[in-house]
Amino acid sequence: MLSDTSETLKQLFKDRNKRSHNAFKKAQNILPGGSTREIIFHQPYPLYIRKGKGCWIQDIDGHRILDFLNNYTSLILGHAHPKIVEAVKSQIINGTSFSAPTEHEQILGTAINERIPSIESIRFTNSGSEATSLSILAAKAFTGNKKIAKFEGAHHGTNENTMVSTNPSLKDAGPKEKPNSVPDGPHIQPNILENTVILPFNNQRTCEKLLYQNREELAAIIVEPVLGSAGIIPPKEGFMQFLGEITEKNNILLIFDEVVTGFRISRGGAQEKYRVKPDLTALGKNIGAGFPLGAFGGRKDIMAQFEPTRENRIHHSGSLNANPVSLKAGLTLLEELTNENYRKLSEQTSNVVRGLEKIFSEQRIDAKITQSGSLFVVHFTSEKVIDYRSAMREDTVRKFNFFLGMLLNGVMIAPRGLGCISTPMSNRDIDIFIQKVVESTIYLKER
Ligand SMILES: Cc1ncc(COP(=O)(O)O)c(C=O)c1O
């Protein structure tokens, strides 16, 4: 349910974005929802983008927009980074894919292993969804077990094994001590629900009980170490270590979904930050610097199941897997992500978070900001956000009005309040962001 303010904002948006509206109408004739990606749809319609450079983008109506979303956290170096453009060009003129491997695959694999040592052996994919899907497949084959445990509110991409309880209503979610397996849609079959154990994030006691009850049948726990789509919710002190210990003790594999956190929240991702060594890791988003690239990897004995010469192997092919253009972009990205860059990102994010807290406190607007590395989320609630359910209890009307108000003021964040910093941002860009937040609070006063 939206408010009068929401309706006013939507009308202002429509008045300002006529070309995007036209593009949306035309696109709807051929594409359900007007594009190929559910997450980028929002009311009244998304902006269609003409170009981007650094941390600024331009839509087809000609507005310049400060990009605090970076293709949903994927572009830590921003748009059209000169080194990425150069690297990609140098590959494109030499061919874009072959019926044979290139050396880039081994070079990037080794560079990833140097940063994330638990990835002893790796394979590349075209997306994060494939990376999580193949990690689960590998865990099931390795253990011979059919069940997977995942966290309520966690999104692991478009693969049916994890499309359970990603965004359940609080009414359907079931008791706290035993969350229901709620299908993400009509395509999820009952056998998937039966084989998915839903865990509450940051609740050690309940996780312990549910994992113990299902230990004989569980292949793996898949976890986003920082619960992303539910609102960048960091783990409580010791929670990741607990998952490491309980999985090891019960012969359950631990899969870290680092599609968002990998190379984002620190040089070695969440596993470096929380000092836990998962059995398998899925990567995506940032790793391709804007090009389609994902990866999964981990223990050598698990990954050896993909050896083509093995009689009882897991088949894994893909015509564009490990395409050299994406690999070149990934390699250049890792070279560019220096410790100095991480230090600057972290300092700027702290300034943003402090700025947001100050504004909302001065204006007496109930809000909590969650943060990890260069990622942050604004939650309109007075409650501490520690898991999916606490995030779901926030004021969604305010959230929408904040998002659309910011966009009208020339700043892009996600409708769910997600924002992130990229390396081309200057302190001046951070000041502009803070100023636009101040201007947008007017939309948070009235309902
Ligand atoms: C944590 C997480 N895992 C997996 C995925 C799927 O990645 P992709 O969109 O590249 O398929 C996403 C995408 O948003 C994600 O946030």
Side-chain angles (χ1 to χ4, degrees), residues 91-92 95-98 102 104-105 108 124-126 291-293 318-330:
Q91 182 58 50
I92 288 176
T96 52
S97 60
F98 309 99
T102 61
H104 305 329
E105 215 169 333
L108 181 57
F124 291 98
T125 63
N126 295 303
F291 287 81
L293 187 63
S319 306
L320 292 174
N321 281 0
N323 92 76
V325 181
S326 299
L327 295 174
K328 256 310 227 328

Side-chain angles (χ1 to χ4, degrees), residues 39 126-130 132 155-158 224 257 259-260 284-285:
I39 197 143
N126 295 303
S127 68
S129 297
E130 285 169 81
T132 55
H155 168 72
H156 298 292
T158 308
E224 271 186 280
D257 177 349
V259 169
V260 171
K285 288 198 188 273

Side-chain angles (χ1 to χ4, degrees), residues 22-37:
N22 208 15
F24 178 61
K25 276 200 311 206
K26 278 194 200 153
Q28 275 180 311
N29 291 332
I30 182 77
L31 299 149
S35 86
T36 301
R37 202 173 160 199

